[in-house]
Amino acid sequence: MRLFDLSLRYKMPLWGGGLILATALALSASFMLQAWDNLHHDLQKNAEDLARITARSLFPVMLHDEVWQAYEVVTLPFAANPASAQTESLVVFDSEQRVYVSSRSHEHSLLQPMAELGPEYAALAQHLPKDPEAPVFVSDAPGAQHIYVALPVANDGVRLGTVVVGYNKSLLWQRFSQLLLNAVGITLLVLGVLLPITAYWGRRMMSPMQWITGRIRHIGEANTAAIDPKLYPYQDEVGLLYQAYADMHAKLQEKALVEKEMVKSERMAAVGRLTASIAHEINNPLGGMLNAISTLKRHGSPDPVTQKTVSLLERGLSQVKETVAALLVEAKVKSRPLNTSDFDDVRVLVSHAIKKQSTQMHWVVTVPDGMALPSTLVRQVLINLLLNAIAASGRSGRVSLQAKTNEAQLVMVVENTGTPMLPEQLARLYEPFTSFSENGNGLGLWICYQIVTQLGGTIHAESGAQQTRFTVILPLSSPHETTDQQNLPD
Amino acid sequence: MFKLLRIFALLGCLIGVFLPIPSSAAGPTIRIAMTPAFLHDQHAMLAQWRDYLQTHTKRPVEFIQRDRYRETIDLLQQQKVDFAWVCDYPYLVLKKDVNLLAVALHQGKPSYQAYLIVPISDTTTRRIADLKNTIFAFADPYSNTGYLSPRFEIQRSGADPATFFKRTFFTWSHRKVIDAVASGVAQGASVDSYVWESLAKVRPDITAKTRIAWKSELYGFPPMVAQRNVPAADFALMQGVLMNMQNNAQGRNLLNRLNLDGFIKGSPKLYDGVAEMMRQFGEP
């Protein structure tokens, strides 16, 4: 896995942390560089100041040759706190570059030549300017351990000697390392605070993105739940993304539903067309055949065997005719308008089945008289649905009918308890010869569907654990002209 | 700890200087010059001693401190002070201008000696002759043990005191002579035994860095002198108060801090040895 393929959840804190780290390092480095310069400068300045003050106070002392007083002057900077003194040594040389007095009296004895005080002093002795008015001379040899600042003890052009302030270079490094340690400490502290904040911030920023990414990846799959608007209530880009996702999700769901319905109705239409054309093809010769049998029975005198066979033929053909008639749902039938009494009739018609199954019937019908719907067809639909419901609810089941009208529709809802229908059953509910019970011929719902569709309405079934519900909606205003080609005239 | 002591010492001085003179103290001020013949930087002790003298003389007392003996000699000759604690050598120089007031007793005797001290690292030096061509510290040109005595010893050994050492310098105090040797600036010095012993009591860390290589004969202890024009009553009063110090607790406490046992009248004869040395050096 490449670094750039990492989740943004890690990449963002990594980048953020990297930037913070780089900033901290750059700042620290520049501060340390500055600090080193300042420290170097301060130490040298300090030494120069010390040399100046000492040289000034030493002039009268050396003039009077007061060695002890000179010693007291050069040891003064070390007297208060020898440990904290920046300067390591303060040596006064006479005009012949011999030790006049030294703060390190145990190492530098009086009158010892400068050149004999060690290689560093020897080098200094070579380069030291002899001019009475010579400015501060700084000796900072690369290999040497000490930095020396030399200043003439002079007044009015008379030079009595030289003050040499020496300090150890390790002091510089020692102080610098202390600064460095502080800086590193503070940097680590800041990083310790900032890095977890960045990590937390990155996670917080990225978790809704991650969630929505997951959702988008699985958008094509079925049954994705809608997005909860409370999940990300802000109106920033992520919020807009969530909204866009929600919109897209809703549209896709709608489209899927429409597609499903379309496929279903197309299938039903195709089945209808096929059924109708087959029925017609069968009906025409069937009529002829039944006529022929009738003629044979009326005018012929067949022997008993033939008579028996003809009767058998007639019964068989009649059954075929009934079945074909059932398949050919004709909505164009002239019928009187639907009245409240039609519902009462239906109740009477199904009462036998109710009694047989001990069904509890809940009957709520609030419809006006003279609705613009063919009563015969509506009665057929209702009887089919109710008989199905009574059968499906089993013994002592509950079945209810609610029928009401609103502005332009008749809404009939038939509900029953009992075993719920399976999704695959629901999908092929209205296809002919799809029976879910042993006694039916599988044409009841097919007929309902054909009638409702031809009346320009919808039939919808849903089945849950508690009950199964069929909802039929029929438009009241439309002229119930059949437009379907399936119902070809005889 | 020392810092605290110093603060107390300074406070003592301030109180000593600014405290109103007790009502019992009346009459002309008694002025006493203090020299480095003893540890005259023990300011708290000096303030107490001054108070003590003030209480017992019932007179205002002023201590005048000078480092160089020459300055004290001048003060006495110019009659700017009434009394002074000086070294035996200045006393002899001033013989005509001063009277012997009292002599302190150190370790029970009115005498002291010169210690030849060297840094503790020097383990070989046994006498001053061993220190030829070294850096040598003197206390004061008017000091017996710090200048006259070592030079006398050099002369006695047959050398020339003027060229014997590689380099010499004055520190203007016995106490600082010890510092010079302890710090390594000087490779040898001659010091007042009383000052060395007293310092050994208060700052043993300093004296521990020095070693006594040789001790001289005994000399008369640095005397308290009175300028010759001091009224006899004042002379007697001061002498009485000094000699009475060992008889009361406060006085004994002060004497203890001065590392002294008491004061006696003393006799000029005590200083005959020093006078003889001076005579041999051709000094007055």
Side-chain angles (χ1 to χ4, degrees), chain A residues 65-66 68 71-72 105-106, chain B residues 68 167 172 176 180 183 185:
Chain A
D65 198 19
E66 292 284 3
W68 184 250
Y71 177 74
E72 284 177 330
S105 43
H106 289 288
Chain B
R68 303 186 182 200
R167 186 151 183 17
W172 308 106
K176 287 177 181 175
S183 66
V185 175

Side-chain angles (χ1 to χ4, degrees), chain B residues 40-52:
Chain B
H40 70 322
D41 57 353
Q42 288 178 290
H43 304 289
M45 184 274 293
L46 278 176
Q48 281 179 25
W49 194 17
R50 198 199 63 167
D51 288 347
Y52 177 87

Side-chain angles (χ1 to χ4, degrees), chain A residues 16 40 62 74 80 127 143 148 151 171 179 183 190 197 210 246 249 263 303 307 318 354 395 402 420 426 435:
Chain A
H40 200 270
M62 287 180 79
V74 298
H127 299 108
Y148 295 100
L151 194 74
L171 182 76
L179 272 177
V190 168
I197 289 175
Q210 226 178 355
H249 183 262
V263 167
D303 55 77
Q307 213 164 22
S318 295
I354 291 171
R395 283 204 69 81
Q402 287 177 56
L426 277 171
S435 180

Side-chain angles (χ1 to χ4, degrees), chain A residues 65-69 71-72 100-102 105-106 109-111, chain B residues 68 135 166-167 169-172 176 179-180 182-185:
Chain A
D65 198 19
E66 292 284 3
V67 175
W68 184 250
Q69 271 189 43
Y71 177 74
E72 284 177 330
Y100 185 79
V101 79
S102 166
S105 43
H106 289 288
S109 52
L110 268 57
L111 298 178
Chain B
R68 303 186 182 200
I135 316 289
K166 192 170 163 190
R167 186 151 183 17
F169 60 88
F170 292 105
T171 66
W172 308 106
K176 287 177 181 175
D179 282 340
S183 66
V185 175

Side-chain angles (χ1 to χ4, degrees), chain A residues 81-353:
Chain A
N81 192 351
S84 76
Q86 294 185 352
T87 310
E88 193 175 279
S89 66
L90 224 165
V91 190
V92 183
F93 294 94
D94 61 18
S95 52
E96 288 163 53
Q97 291 200 351
R98 292 175 308 177
V99 176
Y100 185 79
V101 79
S102 166
S103 67
R104 300 175 83 82
S105 43
H106 289 288
E107 295 164 28
H108 311 144
S109 52
L110 268 57
L111 298 178
Q112 204 177 356
M114 191 195 280
E116 289 176 19
L117 295 181
E120 291 182 11
Y121 277 104
L124 180 67
Q126 278 184 353
H127 299 108
L128 198 65
K130 308 282 193 292
D131 182 27
E133 308 290 341
V136 170
F137 176 77
V138 180
S139 161
D140 184 2
Q145 268 194 335
H146 297 84
I147 296 172
Y148 295 100
V149 174
L151 194 74
V153 180
N155 199 349
D156 207 14
V158 175
R159 180 168 180 164
L160 298 180
T162 311
V163 173
V164 176
V165 178
Y167 56 93
N168 202 319
K169 281 181 185 173
S170 70
L171 182 76
L172 200 64
W173 177 247
Q174 190 189 327
R175 298 207 154 194
F176 182 71
S177 59
Q178 207 157 9
L179 272 177
L180 196 71
L181 216 66
N182 283 350
V184 167
I186 288 170
T187 308
L188 285 181
L189 201 74
V190 168
L191 289 180
V193 172
L194 284 185
L195 289 183
I197 289 175
T198 317
Y200 171 75
W201 169 76
R203 281 181 73 118
R204 229 201 122 128
M205 286 289 286
M206 284 326 295
S207 73
M209 295 293 284
Q210 226 178 355
W211 190 85
I212 196 97
T213 308
R215 290 298 296 263
I216 289 172
R217 282 169 78 135
H218 296 107
I219 199 158
E221 294 168 18
N223 293 327
T224 45
I227 201 164
D228 183 1
K230 274 181 273 181
L231 207 63
Y232 196 89
Y234 313 109
Q235 286 296 310
D236 56 7
E237 282 77 359
V238 178
L240 293 178
L241 185 63
Y242 268 58
Q243 273 176 20
Y245 171 78
D247 289 349
M248 187 172 72
H249 183 262
K251 276 177 190 155
L252 281 175
Q253 292 287 101
E254 202 176 314
K255 194 174 157 235
L257 210 67
V258 167
E259 271 174 4
K260 211 165 134 192
E261 285 297 316
M262 226 154 87
V263 167
K264 195 165 144 192
S265 54
E266 260 174 26
R267 194 174 68 222
M268 290 305 290
V271 170
R273 277 195 300 277
L274 185 67
T275 316
S277 47
I278 292 170
H280 276 290
E281 291 306 314
I282 293 169
N283 244 0
N284 292 339
L286 195 64
M289 277 191 274
L290 282 169
N291 274 340
I293 287 170
S294 175
T295 311
L296 187 68
K297 275 172 87 176
R298 205 179 299 154
H299 302 290
S301 47
D303 55 77
V305 177
T306 314
Q307 213 164 22
K308 202 177 173 184
T309 311
V310 166
S311 295
L312 199 69
L313 272 174
E314 191 181 18
R315 283 202 301 280
L317 288 172
S318 295
Q319 198 184 339
V320 171
K321 184 179 163 71
E322 272 169 35
T323 307
V324 170
L327 278 173
L328 270 176
V329 180
E330 182 54 83
K332 263 176 114 179
V333 197
K334 288 282 171 230
S335 178
R336 60 183 174 77
L338 185 67
N339 285 328
T340 323
S341 57
D342 290 308
F343 286 90
D344 297 335
D345 294 347
V346 168
R347 191 169 191 176
V348 172
L349 287 170
V350 297
S351 60
H352 175 68

Side-chain angles (χ1 to χ4, degrees), chain B:
Chain B
M1 186 64 202
F2 279 115
K3 202 169 177 183
L4 205 71
L5 276 177
R6 253 183 243 169
I7 288 167
F8 276 132
L10 199 72
L11 220 68
C13 278
L14 286 177
I15 289 164
V17 171
F18 294 113
L19 223 71
I21 290 153
S23 54
S24 58
T29 305
I30 298 173
R31 287 181 302 256
I32 308 171
M34 289 299 174
T35 65
F38 69 110
L39 290 180
H40 70 322
D41 57 353
Q42 288 178 290
H43 304 289
M45 184 274 293
L46 278 176
Q48 281 179 25
W49 194 17
R50 198 199 63 167
D51 288 347
Y52 177 87
L53 294 178
Q54 216 155 239
T55 311
H56 287 82
T57 56
K58 299 189 171 59
R59 291 268 293 277
V61 172
E62 190 186 348
F63 279 180
I64 294 153
Q65 278 178 262
R66 291 290 181 272
D67 268 358
R68 303 186 182 200
Y69 284 130
R70 183 66 245 175
E71 290 176 75
T72 309
I73 293 168
D74 288 346
L75 288 174
L76 283 165
Q77 284 179 332
Q78 291 160 11
Q79 303 183 8
K80 291 203 171 133
V81 292
D82 305 310
F83 305 101
W85 188 359
V86 293
C87 191
D88 41 0
Y89 185 9
Y91 163 63
L92 292 172
V93 171
L94 284 166
K95 199 123 193 196
K96 281 177 272 165
D97 301 310
V98 296
N99 294 316
L100 185 62
L101 178 75
V103 179
L105 291 172
H106 174 55
Q107 295 176 341
K109 290 178 283 188
S111 58
Y112 77 132
Q113 60 198 134
Y115 283 174
L116 178 69
I117 56 168
V118 290
I120 194 76
S121 54
D122 176 353
T123 54
T124 54
T125 302
R126 290 282 171 267
R127 62 187 72 79
I128 198 153
D130 297 339
L131 289 172
K132 187 164 172 64
N133 256 331
T134 57
I135 316 289
F136 200 84
F138 290 127
D140 192 300
Y142 283 94
S143 166
N144 170 21
T145 52
Y147 187 61
L148 184 63
S149 154
R151 284 163 73 240
F152 180 75
E153 284 304 318
I154 292 161
Q155 200 173 51
R156 202 152 66 172
S157 74
D160 176 10
T163 58
F164 183 75
F165 297 113
K166 192 170 163 190
R167 186 151 183 17
T168 61
F169 60 88
F170 292 105
T171 66
W172 308 106
S173 132
H174 286 287
R175 154 75 205 255
K176 287 177 181 175
V177 161
I178 303 169
D179 282 340
V181 175
S183 66
V185 175
Q187 283 146 6
S190 181
V191 68
D192 180 332
S193 66
Y194 162 59
V195 173
W196 195 94
E197 297 291 351
S198 302
L199 189 67
K201 277 194 172 177
V202 290
R203 289 293 302 275
D205 58 312
I206 296 173
T207 50
K209 290 176 185 163
T210 64
R211 178 177 67 88
I212 301 164
W214 174 83
K215 292 179 182 180
S216 75
E217 61 201 84
L218 292 175
Y219 309 114
F221 200 82
M224 295 284 275
V225 296
Q227 180 250 115
R228 67 189 149 119
N229 290 333
V230 168
D234 285 4
F235 186 93
L237 175 70
M238 197 64 200
Q239 199 173 44
V241 166
L242 286 175
M243 288 175 47
N244 201 36
M245 272 179 77
Q246 56 205 318
N247 297 328
N248 61 71
Q250 207 187 349
R252 276 197 299 276
N253 179 37
L254 279 166
L255 284 171
N256 189 37
R257 290 179 67 181
L258 280 161
N259 198 22
L260 293 174
D261 301 316
F263 286 95
I264 55 164
K265 276 187 183 170
S267 149
K269 280 193 188 304
L270 278 168
Y271 305 98
D272 284 351
V274 183
E276 178 57 23
M277 267 198 305
M278 285 169 70
R279 205 188 49 74
Q280 284 192 28
F281 256 107
E283 297 194 7

